[in-house]
Amino acid sequence: RRAAVPVLFELRRVMFLSDFWIVNVQFAVYLTVLNTFDAVEGSLLASYGYKEALSSWTGVSFCIGSIISSAIESVVITRAEQYRGVLRGTNILLAVTLLLGLACLRCHLPSWCFVVLVGIMGFCAPGWGCSLELGSEVCYPARESTVTSLLEAFGSVTSVVGIVMAQRF
């Protein structure tokens, strides 16, 4: 059992770790991209001539992809050293699916193409858990709940900024 550490002391210690900020920036960008896409998807579909209701099917597709990828993650990732590679892969996959999704919309491909792409985007879901776990690893001996709360807080704030920016432009 760890000795009790005052919360403010623990927060200050975490905030001064450069590794925390590396994970935090990665997680904030990752979360901002996902949340912003989710927030503007319906209006984006409508602006390209698709029905906004298509976002219901993309939601189902994303869920299926995330469940499958999370099941694979639970079997494949067995050591903390693997988190960096998984994060690199999920961020690349997220960027590629977003670019292909834009191409799909701009070329007015059938709606099922966009649904499939968002399903593939669901395979980025392990990025969330791996980011939180990696943050906890690099900030040890800080409590996991402290690190996770900080990551989620920064990610939520940047998500709000991302959504506002996407809706303005």
Side-chain angles (χ1 to χ4, degrees):
R1 184 171 164 113
R2 285 189 242 174
V5 177
V7 173
L8 292 178
F9 177 77
E10 187 173 57
L11 284 172
R12 196 175 96 224
R13 186 172 30 176
V14 169
M15 297 293 277
F16 284 104
L17 291 172
S18 61
D19 287 344
F20 167 77
W21 287 103
I22 293 169
V23 175
N24 188 32
V25 168
Q26 179 277 322
F27 182 68
V29 170
Y30 167 85
L31 194 58
T32 300
V33 169
L34 284 174
N35 286 337
T36 302
F37 175 78
D38 185 46
V40 301
E41 179 189 9
S43 60
L44 187 65
L45 288 168
S47 69
Y48 281 98
Y50 294 89
K51 294 180 180 170
E52 290 182 50
L54 183 63
S55 64
S56 297
W57 287 108
T58 60
V60 169
S61 178
F62 186 91
C63 285
I64 291 169
S66 65
I67 290 169
I68 293 169
S69 66
S70 295
I72 293 169
E73 172 203 12
S74 69
V75 174
V76 173
I77 300 175
T78 57
R79 298 182 328 275
E81 296 84 30
Q82 296 172 303
Y83 292 146
R84 186 169 43 174
V86 170
L87 291 176
R88 188 175 293 127
T90 57
N91 288 328
I92 291 169
L93 181 63
L94 181 58
V96 168
T97 55
L98 286 170
L99 290 172
L100 290 174
L102 179 61
C104 181
L105 294 175
R106 291 189 71 120
C107 295
H108 301 287
L109 296 178
S111 57
W112 65 265
C113 293
F114 190 75
V115 172
V116 168
L117 278 171
V118 175
I120 294 169
M121 187 188 298
F123 279 82
C124 298
W128 194 303
C130 287
S131 295
L132 299 180
E133 289 296 325
L134 183 60
S136 297
E137 292 287 332
V138 300
C139 294
Y140 185 81
R143 290 177 289 224
E144 187 172 347
S145 60
T146 301
V147 177
T148 299
S149 298
L150 284 171
L151 291 171
E152 293 280 359
F154 281 109
S156 294
V157 169
T158 57
S159 291
V160 168
V161 171
I163 291 166
V164 168
M165 288 175 57
Q167 290 174 338
R168 290 193 97 192
F169 301 107

PDB file of all heavy atoms in Angstrom, residues 91-122:
ATOM      1  N   ASN A  91      -3.250   6.555 -34.178  1.00  0.00           N
ATOM      2  CA  ASN A  91      -3.255   7.936 -34.676  1.00  0.00           C
ATOM      3  C   ASN A  91      -3.107   7.975 -36.191  1.00  0.00           C
ATOM      4  O   ASN A  91      -3.763   8.789 -36.867  1.00  0.00           O
ATOM      5  CB  ASN A  91      -2.156   8.759 -34.006  1.00  0.00           C
ATOM      6  CG  ASN A  91      -2.487   9.054 -32.558  1.00  0.00           C
ATOM      7  OD1 ASN A  91      -3.646   9.199 -32.200  1.00  0.00           O
ATOM      8  ND2 ASN A  91      -1.472   9.132 -31.720  1.00  0.00           N
ATOM      9  N   ILE A  92      -2.288   7.120 -36.740  1.00  0.00           N
ATOM     10  CA  ILE A  92      -2.149   7.044 -38.199  1.00  0.00           C
ATOM     11  C   ILE A  92      -3.460   6.570 -38.819  1.00  0.00           C
ATOM     12  O   ILE A  92      -3.940   7.143 -39.802  1.00  0.00           O
ATOM     13  CB  ILE A  92      -0.974   6.133 -38.604  1.00  0.00           C
ATOM     14  CG1 ILE A  92       0.352   6.800 -38.226  1.00  0.00           C
ATOM     15  CG2 ILE A  92      -1.011   5.782 -40.088  1.00  0.00           C
ATOM     16  CD1 ILE A  92       1.568   5.890 -38.327  1.00  0.00           C
ATOM     17  N   LEU A  93      -4.060   5.528 -38.240  1.00  0.00           N
ATOM     18  CA  LEU A  93      -5.337   5.024 -38.744  1.00  0.00           C
ATOM     19  C   LEU A  93      -6.419   6.100 -38.670  1.00  0.00           C
ATOM     20  O   LEU A  93      -7.206   6.266 -39.612  1.00  0.00           O
ATOM     21  CB  LEU A  93      -5.770   3.777 -37.975  1.00  0.00           C
ATOM     22  CG  LEU A  93      -7.084   3.142 -38.412  1.00  0.00           C
ATOM     23  CD1 LEU A  93      -6.990   2.651 -39.858  1.00  0.00           C
ATOM     24  CD2 LEU A  93      -7.451   1.997 -37.477  1.00  0.00           C
ATOM     25  N   LEU A  94      -6.453   6.850 -37.595  1.00  0.00           N
ATOM     26  CA  LEU A  94      -7.441   7.917 -37.449  1.00  0.00           C
ATOM     27  C   LEU A  94      -7.258   8.971 -38.541  1.00  0.00           C
ATOM     28  O   LEU A  94      -8.223   9.385 -39.190  1.00  0.00           O
ATOM     29  CB  LEU A  94      -7.339   8.553 -36.065  1.00  0.00           C
ATOM     30  CG  LEU A  94      -8.313   9.682 -35.740  1.00  0.00           C
ATOM     31  CD1 LEU A  94      -9.755   9.220 -35.882  1.00  0.00           C
ATOM     32  CD2 LEU A  94      -8.053  10.204 -34.328  1.00  0.00           C
ATOM     33  N   ALA A  95      -6.024   9.389 -38.772  1.00  0.00           N
ATOM     34  CA  ALA A  95      -5.758  10.390 -39.805  1.00  0.00           C
ATOM     35  C   ALA A  95      -6.142   9.875 -41.189  1.00  0.00           C
ATOM     36  O   ALA A  95      -6.782  10.579 -41.979  1.00  0.00           O
ATOM     37  CB  ALA A  95      -4.288  10.798 -39.772  1.00  0.00           C
ATOM     38  N   VAL A  96      -5.781   8.629 -41.488  1.00  0.00           N
ATOM     39  CA  VAL A  96      -6.075   8.058 -42.806  1.00  0.00           C
ATOM     40  C   VAL A  96      -7.580   7.920 -43.018  1.00  0.00           C
ATOM     41  O   VAL A  96      -8.096   8.275 -44.086  1.00  0.00           O
ATOM     42  CB  VAL A  96      -5.353   6.695 -42.982  1.00  0.00           C
ATOM     43  CG1 VAL A  96      -5.861   5.943 -44.198  1.00  0.00           C
ATOM     44  CG2 VAL A  96      -3.843   6.910 -43.065  1.00  0.00           C
ATOM     45  N   THR A  97      -8.305   7.440 -42.010  1.00  0.00           N
ATOM     46  CA  THR A  97      -9.755   7.280 -42.188  1.00  0.00           C
ATOM     47  C   THR A  97     -10.450   8.626 -42.318  1.00  0.00           C
ATOM     48  O   THR A  97     -11.435   8.739 -43.071  1.00  0.00           O
ATOM     49  CB  THR A  97     -10.393   6.463 -41.045  1.00  0.00           C
ATOM     50  OG1 THR A  97     -10.064   7.058 -39.788  1.00  0.00           O
ATOM     51  CG2 THR A  97      -9.940   5.018 -41.071  1.00  0.00           C
ATOM     52  N   LEU A  98      -9.967   9.634 -41.630  1.00  0.00           N
ATOM     53  CA  LEU A  98     -10.563  10.962 -41.789  1.00  0.00           C
ATOM     54  C   LEU A  98     -10.329  11.511 -43.194  1.00  0.00           C
ATOM     55  O   LEU A  98     -11.241  12.059 -43.818  1.00  0.00           O
ATOM     56  CB  LEU A  98     -10.002  11.931 -40.748  1.00  0.00           C
ATOM     57  CG  LEU A  98     -10.509  11.736 -39.324  1.00  0.00           C
ATOM     58  CD1 LEU A  98      -9.704  12.583 -38.348  1.00  0.00           C
ATOM     59  CD2 LEU A  98     -11.983  12.063 -39.217  1.00  0.00           C
ATOM     60  N   LEU A  99      -9.121  11.353 -43.708  1.00  0.00           N
ATOM     61  CA  LEU A  99      -8.823  11.822 -45.060  1.00  0.00           C
ATOM     62  C   LEU A  99      -9.611  11.040 -46.111  1.00  0.00           C
ATOM     63  O   LEU A  99     -10.147  11.630 -47.061  1.00  0.00           O
ATOM     64  CB  LEU A  99      -7.322  11.736 -45.340  1.00  0.00           C
ATOM     65  CG  LEU A  99      -6.457  12.732 -44.562  1.00  0.00           C
ATOM     66  CD1 LEU A  99      -4.977  12.435 -44.772  1.00  0.00           C
ATOM     67  CD2 LEU A  99      -6.793  14.162 -44.955  1.00  0.00           C
ATOM     68  N   LEU A 100      -9.697   9.727 -45.939  1.00  0.00           N
ATOM     69  CA  LEU A 100     -10.484   8.918 -46.874  1.00  0.00           C
ATOM     70  C   LEU A 100     -11.974   9.244 -46.764  1.00  0.00           C
ATOM     71  O   LEU A 100     -12.690   9.239 -47.774  1.00  0.00           O
ATOM     72  CB  LEU A 100     -10.240   7.426 -46.635  1.00  0.00           C
ATOM     73  CG  LEU A 100      -8.856   6.906 -47.027  1.00  0.00           C
ATOM     74  CD1 LEU A 100      -8.695   5.446 -46.610  1.00  0.00           C
ATOM     75  CD2 LEU A 100      -8.619   7.082 -48.516  1.00  0.00           C
ATOM     76  N   GLY A 101     -12.436   9.534 -45.560  1.00  0.00           N
ATOM     77  CA  GLY A 101     -13.830   9.928 -45.381  1.00  0.00           C
ATOM     78  C   GLY A 101     -14.137  11.228 -46.103  1.00  0.00           C
ATOM     79  O   GLY A 101     -15.179  11.364 -46.747  1.00  0.00           O
ATOM     80  N   LEU A 102     -13.218  12.180 -46.018  1.00  0.00           N
ATOM     81  CA  LEU A 102     -13.396  13.435 -46.745  1.00  0.00           C
ATOM     82  C   LEU A 102     -13.416  13.188 -48.251  1.00  0.00           C
ATOM     83  O   LEU A 102     -14.257  13.733 -48.963  1.00  0.00           O
ATOM     84  CB  LEU A 102     -12.285  14.420 -46.383  1.00  0.00           C
ATOM     85  CG  LEU A 102     -12.334  15.763 -47.103  1.00  0.00           C
ATOM     86  CD1 LEU A 102     -13.632  16.500 -46.786  1.00  0.00           C
ATOM     87  CD2 LEU A 102     -11.112  16.594 -46.740  1.00  0.00           C
ATOM     88  N   ALA A 103     -12.503  12.336 -48.718  1.00  0.00           N
ATOM     89  CA  ALA A 103     -12.483  12.000 -50.152  1.00  0.00           C
ATOM     90  C   ALA A 103     -13.786  11.321 -50.557  1.00  0.00           C
ATOM     91  O   ALA A 103     -14.336  11.599 -51.638  1.00  0.00           O
ATOM     92  CB  ALA A 103     -11.293  11.101 -50.465  1.00  0.00           C
ATOM     93  N   CYS A 104     -14.302  10.463 -49.710  1.00  0.00           N
ATOM     94  CA  CYS A 104     -15.566   9.773 -49.974  1.00  0.00           C
ATOM     95  C   CYS A 104     -16.707  10.776 -50.128  1.00  0.00           C
ATOM     96  O   CYS A 104     -17.520  10.676 -51.046  1.00  0.00           O
ATOM     97  CB  CYS A 104     -15.849   8.808 -48.821  1.00  0.00           C
ATOM     98  SG  CYS A 104     -17.348   7.846 -48.981  1.00  0.00           S
ATOM     99  N   LEU A 105     -16.741  11.755 -49.231  1.00  0.00           N
ATOM    100  CA  LEU A 105     -17.794  12.767 -49.301  1.00  0.00           C
ATOM    101  C   LEU A 105     -17.625  13.665 -50.521  1.00  0.00           C
ATOM    102  O   LEU A 105     -18.590  13.948 -51.228  1.00  0.00           O
ATOM    103  CB  LEU A 105     -17.791  13.621 -48.027  1.00  0.00           C
ATOM    104  CG  LEU A 105     -18.162  12.907 -46.727  1.00  0.00           C
ATOM    105  CD1 LEU A 105     -17.989  13.845 -45.541  1.00  0.00           C
ATOM    106  CD2 LEU A 105     -19.568  12.356 -46.786  1.00  0.00           C
ATOM    107  N   ARG A 106     -16.425  14.103 -50.769  1.00  0.00           N
ATOM    108  CA  ARG A 106     -16.175  15.022 -51.892  1.00  0.00           C
ATOM    109  C   ARG A 106     -16.431  14.363 -53.245  1.00  0.00           C
ATOM    110  O   ARG A 106     -16.835  15.028 -54.193  1.00  0.00           O
ATOM    111  CB  ARG A 106     -14.761  15.567 -51.827  1.00  0.00           C
ATOM    112  CG  ARG A 106     -14.572  16.510 -50.634  1.00  0.00           C
ATOM    113  CD  ARG A 106     -13.265  17.200 -50.722  1.00  0.00           C
ATOM    114  NE  ARG A 106     -13.324  18.156 -51.811  1.00  0.00           N
ATOM    115  CZ  ARG A 106     -13.155  19.451 -51.672  1.00  0.00           C
ATOM    116  NH1 ARG A 106     -12.958  19.939 -50.474  1.00  0.00           N
ATOM    117  NH2 ARG A 106     -13.184  20.249 -52.711  1.00  0.00           N
ATOM    118  N   CYS A 107     -16.171  13.065 -53.329  1.00  0.00           N
ATOM    119  CA  CYS A 107     -16.396  12.334 -54.588  1.00  0.00           C
ATOM    120  C   CYS A 107     -17.820  11.789 -54.688  1.00  0.00           C
ATOM    121  O   CYS A 107     -18.158  11.116 -55.659  1.00  0.00           O
ATOM    122  CB  CYS A 107     -15.394  11.195 -54.721  1.00  0.00           C
ATOM    123  SG  CYS A 107     -13.694  11.761 -54.874  1.00  0.00           S
ATOM    124  N   HIS A 108     -18.632  12.041 -53.660  1.00  0.00           N
ATOM    125  CA  HIS A 108     -20.032  11.585 -53.616  1.00  0.00           C
ATOM    126  C   HIS A 108     -20.155  10.082 -53.847  1.00  0.00           C
ATOM    127  O   HIS A 108     -20.990   9.623 -54.627  1.00  0.00           O
ATOM    128  CB  HIS A 108     -20.890  12.369 -54.616  1.00  0.00           C
ATOM    129  CG  HIS A 108     -20.883  13.839 -54.345  1.00  0.00           C
ATOM    130  ND1 HIS A 108     -21.548  14.384 -53.285  1.00  0.00           N
ATOM    131  CD2 HIS A 108     -20.271  14.866 -54.985  1.00  0.00           C
ATOM    132  CE1 HIS A 108     -21.362  15.691 -53.270  1.00  0.00           C
ATOM    133  NE2 HIS A 108     -20.588  16.013 -54.295  1.00  0.00           N
ATOM    134  N   LEU A 109     -19.306   9.332 -53.148  1.00  0.00           N
ATOM    135  CA  LEU A 109     -19.374   7.870 -53.216  1.00  0.00           C
ATOM    136  C   LEU A 109     -20.626   7.395 -52.488  1.00  0.00           C
ATOM    137  O   LEU A 109     -21.225   8.145 -51.712  1.00  0.00           O
ATOM    138  CB  LEU A 109     -18.118   7.265 -52.599  1.00  0.00           C
ATOM    139  CG  LEU A 109     -16.801   7.581 -53.314  1.00  0.00           C
ATOM    140  CD1 LEU A 109     -15.627   6.961 -52.572  1.00  0.00           C
ATOM    141  CD2 LEU A 109     -16.825   7.115 -54.764  1.00  0.00           C
ATOM    142  N   PRO A 110     -21.031   6.152 -52.711  1.00  0.00           N
ATOM    143  CA  PRO A 110     -22.219   5.632 -52.015  1.00  0.00           C
ATOM    144  C   PRO A 110     -22.074   5.753 -50.499  1.00  0.00           C
ATOM    145  O   PRO A 110     -20.960   5.663 -49.958  1.00  0.00           O
ATOM    146  CB  PRO A 110     -22.282   4.167 -52.441  1.00  0.00           C
ATOM    147  CG  PRO A 110     -21.495   4.093 -53.702  1.00  0.00           C
ATOM    148  CD  PRO A 110     -20.444   5.157 -53.611  1.00  0.00           C
ATOM    149  N   SER A 111     -23.179   5.955 -49.821  1.00  0.00           N
ATOM    150  CA  SER A 111     -23.150   6.190 -48.383  1.00  0.00           C
ATOM    151  C   SER A 111     -22.536   5.033 -47.601  1.00  0.00           C
ATOM    152  O   SER A 111     -21.922   5.249 -46.561  1.00  0.00           O
ATOM    153  CB  SER A 111     -24.550   6.500 -47.864  1.00  0.00           C
ATOM    154  OG  SER A 111     -25.443   5.462 -48.186  1.00  0.00           O
ATOM    155  N   TRP A 112     -22.659   3.812 -48.120  1.00  0.00           N
ATOM    156  CA  TRP A 112     -22.094   2.673 -47.404  1.00  0.00           C
ATOM    157  C   TRP A 112     -20.568   2.796 -47.306  1.00  0.00           C
ATOM    158  O   TRP A 112     -19.970   2.291 -46.343  1.00  0.00           O
ATOM    159  CB  TRP A 112     -22.503   1.337 -48.028  1.00  0.00           C
ATOM    160  CG  TRP A 112     -21.995   1.095 -49.418  1.00  0.00           C
ATOM    161  CD1 TRP A 112     -22.659   1.340 -50.584  1.00  0.00           C
ATOM    162  CD2 TRP A 112     -20.715   0.562 -49.788  1.00  0.00           C
ATOM    163  NE1 TRP A 112     -21.876   1.000 -51.663  1.00  0.00           N
ATOM    164  CE2 TRP A 112     -20.660   0.517 -51.194  1.00  0.00           C
ATOM    165  CE3 TRP A 112     -19.613   0.124 -49.077  1.00  0.00           C
ATOM    166  CZ2 TRP A 112     -19.566   0.058 -51.901  1.00  0.00           C
ATOM    167  CZ3 TRP A 112     -18.502  -0.331 -49.766  1.00  0.00           C
ATOM    168  CH2 TRP A 112     -18.492  -0.365 -51.166  1.00  0.00           C
ATOM    169  N   CYS A 113     -19.936   3.465 -48.259  1.00  0.00           N
ATOM    170  CA  CYS A 113     -18.476   3.658 -48.195  1.00  0.00           C
ATOM    171  C   CYS A 113     -18.096   4.469 -46.962  1.00  0.00           C
ATOM    172  O   CYS A 113     -17.144   4.142 -46.250  1.00  0.00           O
ATOM    173  CB  CYS A 113     -17.970   4.373 -49.447  1.00  0.00           C
ATOM    174  SG  CYS A 113     -18.118   3.420 -50.952  1.00  0.00           S
ATOM    175  N   PHE A 114     -18.870   5.522 -46.709  1.00  0.00           N
ATOM    176  CA  PHE A 114     -18.601   6.357 -45.538  1.00  0.00           C
ATOM    177  C   PHE A 114     -18.858   5.579 -44.251  1.00  0.00           C
ATOM    178  O   PHE A 114     -18.087   5.685 -43.288  1.00  0.00           O
ATOM    179  CB  PHE A 114     -19.471   7.624 -45.597  1.00  0.00           C
ATOM    180  CG  PHE A 114     -19.099   8.648 -44.574  1.00  0.00           C
ATOM    181  CD1 PHE A 114     -17.955   9.417 -44.718  1.00  0.00           C
ATOM    182  CD2 PHE A 114     -19.902   8.856 -43.461  1.00  0.00           C
ATOM    183  CE1 PHE A 114     -17.608  10.367 -43.772  1.00  0.00           C
ATOM    184  CE2 PHE A 114     -19.564   9.804 -42.514  1.00  0.00           C
ATOM    185  CZ  PHE A 114     -18.418  10.560 -42.670  1.00  0.00           C
ATOM    186  N   VAL A 115     -19.911   4.787 -44.231  1.00  0.00           N
ATOM    187  CA  VAL A 115     -20.234   3.973 -43.049  1.00  0.00           C
ATOM    188  C   VAL A 115     -19.098   2.989 -42.770  1.00  0.00           C
ATOM    189  O   VAL A 115     -18.673   2.825 -41.620  1.00  0.00           O
ATOM    190  CB  VAL A 115     -21.578   3.235 -43.237  1.00  0.00           C
ATOM    191  CG1 VAL A 115     -21.821   2.237 -42.115  1.00  0.00           C
ATOM    192  CG2 VAL A 115     -22.725   4.226 -43.331  1.00  0.00           C
ATOM    193  N   VAL A 116     -18.577   2.356 -43.806  1.00  0.00           N
ATOM    194  CA  VAL A 116     -17.466   1.409 -43.634  1.00  0.00           C
ATOM    195  C   VAL A 116     -16.221   2.126 -43.112  1.00  0.00           C
ATOM    196  O   VAL A 116     -15.540   1.635 -42.207  1.00  0.00           O
ATOM    197  CB  VAL A 116     -17.171   0.663 -44.959  1.00  0.00           C
ATOM    198  CG1 VAL A 116     -15.857  -0.104 -44.883  1.00  0.00           C
ATOM    199  CG2 VAL A 116     -18.320  -0.277 -45.307  1.00  0.00           C
ATOM    200  N   LEU A 117     -15.932   3.300 -43.661  1.00  0.00           N
ATOM    201  CA  LEU A 117     -14.763   4.054 -43.197  1.00  0.00           C
ATOM    202  C   LEU A 117     -14.875   4.433 -41.727  1.00  0.00           C
ATOM    203  O   LEU A 117     -13.896   4.347 -40.982  1.00  0.00           O
ATOM    204  CB  LEU A 117     -14.567   5.312 -44.044  1.00  0.00           C
ATOM    205  CG  LEU A 117     -13.850   5.090 -45.361  1.00  0.00           C
ATOM    206  CD1 LEU A 117     -13.909   6.337 -46.224  1.00  0.00           C
ATOM    207  CD2 LEU A 117     -12.405   4.689 -45.108  1.00  0.00           C
ATOM    208  N   VAL A 118     -16.056   4.838 -41.300  1.00  0.00           N
ATOM    209  CA  VAL A 118     -16.233   5.173 -39.892  1.00  0.00           C
ATOM    210  C   VAL A 118     -16.123   3.911 -39.026  1.00  0.00           C
ATOM    211  O   VAL A 118     -15.603   3.962 -37.909  1.00  0.00           O
ATOM    212  CB  VAL A 118     -17.561   5.925 -39.655  1.00  0.00           C
ATOM    213  CG1 VAL A 118     -17.806   6.159 -38.172  1.00  0.00           C
ATOM    214  CG2 VAL A 118     -17.539   7.255 -40.396  1.00  0.00           C
ATOM    215  N   GLY A 119     -16.558   2.786 -39.552  1.00  0.00           N
ATOM    216  CA  GLY A 119     -16.361   1.516 -38.840  1.00  0.00           C
ATOM    217  C   GLY A 119     -14.890   1.195 -38.673  1.00  0.00           C
ATOM    218  O   GLY A 119     -14.447   0.757 -37.608  1.00  0.00           O
ATOM    219  N   ILE A 120     -14.111   1.449 -39.720  1.00  0.00           N
ATOM    220  CA  ILE A 120     -12.662   1.248 -39.622  1.00  0.00           C
ATOM    221  C   ILE A 120     -12.074   2.234 -38.619  1.00  0.00           C
ATOM    222  O   ILE A 120     -11.161   1.894 -37.851  1.00  0.00           O
ATOM    223  CB  ILE A 120     -12.013   1.380 -41.016  1.00  0.00           C
ATOM    224  CG1 ILE A 120     -12.481   0.234 -41.915  1.00  0.00           C
ATOM    225  CG2 ILE A 120     -10.487   1.408 -40.917  1.00  0.00           C
ATOM    226  CD1 ILE A 120     -12.117   0.401 -43.374  1.00  0.00           C
ATOM    227  N   MET A 121     -12.622   3.458 -38.597  1.00  0.00           N
ATOM    228  CA  MET A 121     -12.177   4.445 -37.617  1.00  0.00           C
ATOM    229  C   MET A 121     -12.399   3.932 -36.191  1.00  0.00           C
ATOM    230  O   MET A 121     -11.650   4.277 -35.268  1.00  0.00           O
ATOM    231  CB  MET A 121     -12.938   5.764 -37.820  1.00  0.00           C
ATOM    232  CG  MET A 121     -12.441   6.904 -36.967  1.00  0.00           C
ATOM    233  SD  MET A 121     -13.498   8.372 -37.065  1.00  0.00           S
ATOM    234  CE  MET A 121     -13.368   8.808 -38.777  1.00  0.00           C
ATOM    235  N   GLY A 122     -13.410   3.106 -36.003  1.00  0.00           N
ATOM    236  CA  GLY A 122     -13.674   2.516 -34.693  1.00  0.00           C
ATOM    237  C   GLY A 122     -12.513   1.697 -34.169  1.00  0.00           C
ATOM    238  O   GLY A 122     -12.369   1.502 -32.954  1.00  0.00           O
TER     239      GLY A 122
END
